[in-house]
Amino acid sequence: MTYITKPQLHHPQLKPNALGYTRRDYEGAVSTLCAGCGHDSISSAIIQACYELELPPHRVAKLSGIGCSSKTPDYFLGNSHGFNTVHGRMPSVLTGANLANRDLIYLGVSGDGDSASIGLGQFAHSIRRGVNMLYIVENNGVYGLTKGQFSATSDKGSKSKKGVVNHDAGIDLVSLALQMGATFVARSFSGDKDQLVPLIKAALSHRGAAFIDCISPCVQFNNHAGSTKSYDYVREHNEAVNRMDIVPARNAITIDYAPGETVPVAQHDGSILHLHKLAEHYDPSDRVGALAYLQARQALGEIVTGLLFLDPEARDLHENLGTVDVPLNSLSERELSPGAAALARINASLR
């Protein structure tokens, strides 16, 4: 019952981290997403990662746009800073906040619609500018809030719940992030917590633009034509005094597979996802090699997961702009207005 307030009481035997916080202290409100939604598994992984990293919640700023995925920041880090932007505009708001206060840890949460459609330009520019952030896309390939239309990441040839075939090529956000200059690029699966939690921890610790594309199954849009259990069929054959809807409860999809292994993962709608986890000998320092590897595996119908690329000597936006170490929002009027002599020197340098 998602309208029930989450209890504030903690079990006395919950293990605290070095800051004295338990895992419950990194949680948020009760989720209102469908039962079994992969997005909730990602929220759980973020909670676990922040708990293990021993991050003070007040040092984290979480930002999102519009969509099922962009609702999730309400479900984790309830004591952190948060801002929900308009559709597709999260990256520019995060960039502005980062420029004003570089001392915060920035976490952008978005979806395939929010980032690959209306927000594609904003996504690309925030990545190429090297904003110091973790950018997570919770990728389910559909517009979940508007009845399951294809998103820009939907694969060509895939079918909607109504049997409509997608004729457009899908956008691979991982390849785009690599091309735009992201210095930490990874892909994971919401049901593989053993892989996802360490990736989130590493990305939060990375200086520069870190991007994780997380495949996240949508449990709602398996209501295909021809099913006698579908909502449309029941409505057509039921003389009801009123009309009601439910979302059937589903179990979250989880997997466990070794590095170098490829496994088929059955989705709630019966479709099969082939996940390939990077082998231990894979070299994540080669950007060109990462792109080639992605394309080779994509030709085999496989989705590569794991750390795809890492630049250990990355620079962030503040280093590129040469800003001061002190957060800009804490500078005094005297520092921001150095006087006529300084202005004269600046004007002289422009002549």
Side-chain angles (χ1 to χ4, degrees), residues 56-244:
H58 67 275
R59 287 202 58 227
V60 179
K62 53 185 183 178
L63 296 92
S64 63
I66 297 294
C68 291
S69 57
S70 293
K71 294 171 59 179
T72 61
D74 192 35
Y75 312 142
F76 59 81
L77 296 175
N79 293 319
S80 69
H81 305 280
F83 194 91
N84 184 233
T85 74
V86 295
H87 203 6
R89 275 32 178 195
M90 178 271 289
S92 58
V93 177
L94 187 152
T95 301
N98 182 280
L99 284 171
N101 188 353
R102 64 188 301 170
D103 279 354
L104 295 179
I105 300 166
Y106 288 91
L107 172 60
V109 179
S110 185
D112 41 301
D114 194 54
S115 284
S117 290
I118 190 171
L120 184 61
Q122 299 243 335
F123 165 77
H125 288 296
S126 66
I127 293 294
R128 78 179 185 88
R129 288 176 178 137
V131 181
N132 190 12
M133 62 178 176
L134 166 55
Y135 195 125
I136 295 180
V137 168
E138 299 178 349
N139 191 347
N140 58 17
V142 297
Y143 290 124
L145 288 183
T146 53
K147 309 304 181 185
Q149 301 94 331
F150 295 121
S151 80
T153 64
S154 298
D155 294 325
K156 187 175 183 178
S158 60
K159 292 184 179 181
S160 70
K161 67 174 184 176
K162 293 185 178 180
V164 178
V165 178
N166 179 31
H167 298 290
D168 299 324
I171 294 175
D172 183 9
L173 289 173
V174 166
S175 296
L176 184 58
L178 284 167
Q179 292 172 338
M180 289 293 103
T183 50
F184 182 108
V185 181
R187 177 184 277 141
S188 192
F189 178 64
S190 62
D192 189 0
K193 199 171 182 179
D194 290 340
Q195 181 191 62
L196 183 55
V197 171
L199 285 175
I200 293 175
K201 291 171 64 177
L204 286 171
S205 304
H206 178 73
R207 183 185 62 185
F211 173 69
I212 298 178
D213 178 35
C214 195
I215 307 300
S216 179
C218 178
V219 300
Q220 171 66 347
F221 296 101
N222 55 359
N223 184 28
H224 57 278
S227 171
T228 58
K229 305 299 183 183
S230 67
Y231 298 133
D232 291 339
Y233 183 92
V234 173
R235 285 171 180 154
E236 291 171 4
H237 297 80
N238 181 32
E239 294 295 329
V241 295
N242 51 28
R243 180 162 290 185
M244 304 177 68

Side-chain angles (χ1 to χ4, degrees), residues 36-54:
C37 178
H39 293 359
D40 284 333
S41 297
I42 299 173
S43 295
S44 178
I46 293 173
I47 291 169
Q48 186 66 30
C50 292
Y51 164 74
E52 292 181 7
L53 281 176
E54 300 171 350

